[in-house]
Amino acid sequence: MSQMGALRRAAAAALLLAPTRAVAQLRPHDARVWSAAAVAFVGAALADEPIRDELRGPGAPVWRITAHDVEPLGRAVVDLAGLGTSYVVARLAHQPRWARATVHVAAGYLAADAVTAVLKPTVGRARPRAELGPHDFRAFTTGDDRGSFPSGHATHAFALAAGIAEEAHRPWVTAVAYGTAALVGWSRIHADAHWASDVVAGAVVGTSASLTTIDWLHRRDGAPAATPHDARTTREPATWHVRVAPRVVRVTVRF
């Protein structure tokens, strides 16, 4: 990999992570969030063609393998199946807090998906593989080749990441969740299914819609989301026990 190629890949990764890092640390109603998102989107839009050209080149095999492996994590059928499984397991384990957290994450996910479902046909942006350039838009046009903006995979992945991070309140969970979501977004650019700016837009929609929905659910339940500091000092982990004679093994589930 050339030095210039490495720099371009690093710049693309920064564009994917910049808006979500701001939204994750602040709240969607904060003007600084949208300022950071706007800067990231404009930067990505200006670099759409160079980033695509770089990723279509003879990149290192690891990028191709990673893109192929993480892409399913942005599919609705996979995500919803995972959320459904989480809810069932929580109920079977008699963990209402875990089940409630799963419902919150699912609600944020569905809200983000609804926003993207409206934006795609409204904007009507051509996908990169259509070879029409990054500035070809036909508003209110349906069809898969006109569903580039925003990226549905990125929306889904970042909505899940935001919801999981918000409910878990663990720094390592936040890092893994958002890092995985960024890889999903990267995979869509690598597959020539989206422009970089589509992925940034999907990241912003997914993160902001998920956090807004979960904040509303917490207020409705009368239990506002705790800050990470509060989570460490005031929240006790839920626990459930599995008896293995003659000892008892305790498994701790943290939410």
Side-chain angles (χ1 to χ4, degrees), residues 18-255:
T20 55
R21 181 178 300 167
V23 177
Q25 293 176 349
L26 302 172
R27 309 314 300 169
H29 56 72
D30 193 312
R32 290 173 293 176
V33 171
W34 299 106
S35 297
V39 170
F41 177 76
V42 171
L46 293 174
D48 273 336
E49 289 185 293
I51 290 174
R52 184 193 181 214
D53 292 341
E54 177 62 30
L55 291 183
R56 293 180 71 195
V62 66
W63 290 112
R64 293 193 292 272
I65 295 172
T66 301
H68 175 76
D69 289 345
V70 301
E71 183 272 335
L73 298 179
R75 296 180 187 175
V77 63
V78 174
D79 298 337
L80 293 176
L83 289 168
T85 300
S86 175
Y87 183 81
V88 170
V89 171
R91 285 300 184 188
L92 292 175
H94 304 291
Q95 291 301 311
R97 184 180 298 172
W98 179 2
R100 185 169 59 252
T102 301
V103 171
H104 289 175
V105 174
Y109 180 96
L110 292 174
D113 184 68
V115 173
T116 291
V118 172
L119 286 175
K120 277 182 175 288
T122 300
V123 176
R125 189 182 196 183
R127 293 186 185 273
R129 62 191 178 213
E131 301 295 348
L132 296 173
H135 306 122
D136 191 88
F137 299 87
R138 292 182 186 176
F140 305 106
T141 303
T142 58
D144 182 63
D145 282 343
R146 285 289 167 182
S148 191
F149 181 93
S151 166
H153 276 65
T155 299
H156 295 159
F158 279 94
L160 280 180
I164 292 171
E166 184 71 1
E167 294 295 330
H169 291 296
R170 295 292 183 273
W172 71 269
V173 173
T174 299
V176 171
Y178 279 108
T180 302
L183 286 175
V184 172
W186 183 274
S187 76
R188 301 306 286 159
I189 304 172
H190 198 284
D192 211 25
H194 289 284
W195 302 100
S197 54
D198 298 330
V199 172
V200 171
V204 173
V205 169
T207 307
S208 57
S210 180
L211 290 179
T212 299
T213 302
I214 292 174
D215 279 350
W216 177 80
L217 289 172
H218 285 157
R219 290 194 302 271
R220 189 197 65 171
D221 295 342
T227 64
H229 175 75
D230 293 336
R232 290 194 297 270
T233 58
T234 64
R235 296 177 66 182
E236 296 182 357
T239 61
W240 58 285
H241 310 285
V242 179
R243 181 176 296 277
V244 181
R247 297 181 178 181
V248 174
V249 178
R250 172 173 293 182
V251 180
T252 302
V253 182
R254 299 179 181 272
F255 275 99

